[in-house]
């Protein structure tokens, strides 16, 4: 755990958890502060990495609202300790209760949860690498920008792959802007999926005056419009085969003849194409011409999805868009958004990538700006819940099946676990002597330690939670 300068403030109430937190964090560069005598987090938190561990027993039976947690407590991320878990009683939790530990938490569970919170906390503090208006914190995104800059100043065709909403057009613009020759000319964007049947020739090749009924003036097609600059063909995979043949011929001959004209026009433009489909697979299926593919894919760039870019990029993009929506002056009045909002953004899966994240951020920003409150009279929570509901229907299976942070206790015997910990304490955590005292082999002791997540210095846990602990 990269926990340098981390301070953990513990509000334990009736739960008696502060000592266990201290023991679980032994030999780590972490300061644990018992904070029950302090009224608010802001009275102790003066910057740096700080996390609050709060027992729900401090609520004295009342539901703790976000105002009481992060509004008056300075925005410090909160790790709750409760006798019920979020997964088993999700309906009783407000949106901000993102991190909940059971009362009998183990050292491994506490450290794993703190690691996740700390990683997201540091993501919000990490210096954002900007290249013009493109945010690139993740290594994969920085590599993409490096490759784009490397191949920007040349005349060869570029094929950009990326899921919907990843920013393929913005990368194409970057290639155009950083080309010494073609960057001086126009940047023409064409959505190949929106070309009506029968109008391909007119739109791409142009037409001469009087070439057909209604052609009262001459018209330059997309090829001519891009002359001296860059032609960006988005969704290139949606071009029908008969149109692909005509595109290939223009690319090979570098001339175009308008409809109704006999005079060819010389062309000099750079072609950049983009798709969210695998053109190689389409070539094998006979749905895309191999010769056109090889003409397009002289240089290939792959844009990572937002999920591949990771939490740091999600939060950096969220902050950037939020500042633009809310405005500098109002942002200073509101202060930084509560940690629970950023934490939910970091956890959320966005099938629509940056485009979807932008939509969600704008909704949160507009609500906060108009109500002058990050809670927005409940609007922010409704917006986040709606976004979570959508994400739940589209989340990748492999991510859904990630190993949980909280161990399955269905086959645990807490009394046996405490006996093992007591014996380890009595024998200074020496395994052989402990096994002999318990009358078991060293191998069986190791198996029990793994089963019960017992690590060195692990504290004993009361068999049952104190009565006032309860749940949200």
């Amino acid at each position: 755990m990269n926990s340098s300068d981390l301070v953990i403030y513990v509000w334990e109430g009736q739960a008696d958890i502060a000592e266990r937190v201290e023991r679980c964090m032994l030999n780590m560069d972490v300061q644990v502060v018992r904070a029950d005598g302090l009224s608010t987090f802001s009275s102790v938190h003066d910057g740096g990495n700080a996390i609050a561990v709060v027992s729900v027993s401090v609520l004295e039976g009342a539901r703790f609202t976000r105002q009481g947690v992060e509004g008056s407590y300075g925005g410090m991320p909160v790790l709750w300790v409760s006798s019920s878990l979020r997964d088993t009683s999700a309906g009783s939790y407000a949106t901000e209760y993102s991190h909940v530990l059971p009362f009998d938490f183990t050292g491994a569970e506490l450290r794993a949860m703190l690691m996740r919170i700390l990683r997201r906390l540091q993501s919000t503090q990490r210096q954002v690498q900007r290249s013009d208006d493109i945010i690139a914190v993740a290594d994969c995104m920085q590599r993409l920008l490096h490759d784009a800059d490397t191949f920007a100043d040349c005349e060869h065709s570029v094929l950009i792959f990326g899921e919907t909403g990843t920013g393929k057009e913005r990368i194409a613009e970057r290639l155009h802007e950083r080309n010494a020759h073609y960057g001086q000319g126009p940047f023409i964007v064409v959505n190949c999926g929106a070309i009506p049947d029968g109008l391909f020739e007119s739109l791409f090749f142009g037409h001469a005056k009087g070439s057909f009924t209604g052609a009262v003036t001459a018209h330059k097609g997309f090829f001519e419009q891009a002359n001296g600059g860059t032609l960006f063909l988005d969704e290139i995979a949606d071009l029908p085969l008969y149109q692909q043949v005509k595109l290939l011929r223009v690319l090979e001959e570098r001339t175009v003849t308008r409809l109704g004209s006999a005079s060819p026009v010389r062309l000099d433009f750079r072609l950049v194409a983009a798709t969210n489909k695998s053109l190689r697979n389409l070539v094998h299926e006979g749905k895309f011409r191999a010769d056109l593919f090889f003409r397009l894919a002289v240089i290939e760039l792959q844009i990572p999805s937002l999920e591949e870019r990771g939490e740091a990029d999600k939060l950096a993009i969220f902050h950037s868009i939020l500042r633009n929506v809310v405005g500098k002056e109002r942002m200073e009045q509101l202060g930084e958004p509560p940690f629970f909002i950023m934490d939910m953004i970091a956890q959320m899966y966005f099938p629509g990538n940056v485009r979807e994240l932008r939509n969600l951020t704008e909704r949160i920003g507009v609500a906060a700006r108009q109500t002058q409150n990050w809670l927005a009279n409940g609007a922010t929570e409704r917006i986040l819940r709606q976004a979570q509901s959508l994400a739940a229907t589209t989340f990748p299976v492999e991510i859904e099946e990630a190993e949980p942070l909280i161990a399955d206790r269905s086959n645990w015997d807490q009394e046996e676990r405490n006996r093992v910990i007591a014996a380890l304490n009595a024998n200074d955590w020496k395994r052989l002597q402990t096994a002999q005292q318990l009358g078991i082999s060293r191998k069986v002791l190791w198996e029990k330690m793994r089963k019960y997540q017992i690590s060195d210095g692990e504290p004993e846990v009361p068999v049952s939670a104190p009565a006032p602990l309860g749940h949200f």
Side-chain angles (χ1 to χ4, degrees), residues 85 109 404-413 451-453:
L85 291 179
E109 291 169 340
L405 295 180
I406 307 300
D408 180 9
R409 288 164 165 71
S410 59
N411 63 343
W412 277 25
D413 182 340
K451 173 183 176 180
Y452 294 126
Q453 289 194 352

Side-chain angles (χ1 to χ4, degrees), residues 99-161:
H99 303 287
V100 183
L101 278 176
F103 170 71
D104 60 346
F105 63 85
T106 67
E109 291 169 340
L110 174 64
R111 289 187 290 271
M113 195 72 81
L114 289 173
M115 168 67 89
R116 181 162 71 175
I117 295 175
L118 183 62
R119 184 170 61 248
R120 288 173 184 159
L121 185 63
Q122 292 175 335
S123 293
T124 66
Q125 300 167 348
R126 186 173 174 180
Q127 185 176 2
V128 177
Q129 301 295 319
R130 286 180 175 273
S131 183
D132 296 336
D133 63 338
I134 299 178
I135 292 174
V137 181
D139 291 339
C140 60
M141 197 63 187
Q142 292 183 23
R143 285 194 298 271
L144 168 67
L145 297 185
H146 176 268
D147 291 344
D149 291 345
T150 299
F151 299 111
D153 197 18
C154 67
E155 72 279 7
H156 299 291
S157 300
V158 181
L159 183 58
I160 301 173
F161 297 93

Side-chain angles (χ1 to χ4, degrees), residues 271-301:
L271 181 65
V272 178
T275 180
N276 60 3
K277 300 175 183 177
S278 172
L279 291 192
R280 284 185 170 83
N281 289 343
L282 294 180
V283 168
H284 290 313
E285 295 169 5
K287 297 178 181 178
F288 198 88
R289 294 184 61 93
D291 45 7
L292 178 57
F293 171 75
F294 295 128
R295 172 67 71 174
L296 297 174
V298 179
I299 300 166
E300 295 183 61
L301 297 176

Side-chain angles (χ1 to χ4, degrees), residues 7 10 55 61-62 72 74 77 134 142 220 244 250 252 261 283 300 312-313 319-321 348 360 386 403 411 414:
V7 181
V10 182
S55 163
S72 61
I134 299 178
Q142 292 183 23
K220 289 183 177 181
Q244 295 175 26
V250 171
E252 289 180 339
S261 172
V283 168
E300 295 183 61
D313 269 37
H319 271 94
S320 177
I321 299 172
M348 216 171 287
L360 175 60
Q386 290 168 0
E403 185 177 349
N411 63 343
Q414 191 65 58

Side-chain angles (χ1 to χ4, degrees), residues 134 160 163-172 303 353-355:
I134 299 178
I160 301 173
E163 295 179 5
T164 179
T166 52
K168 296 185 288 293
E169 184 173 337
R170 184 62 197 96
I171 295 299
I303 303 180
N353 292 286
V354 177
R355 184 180 295 123

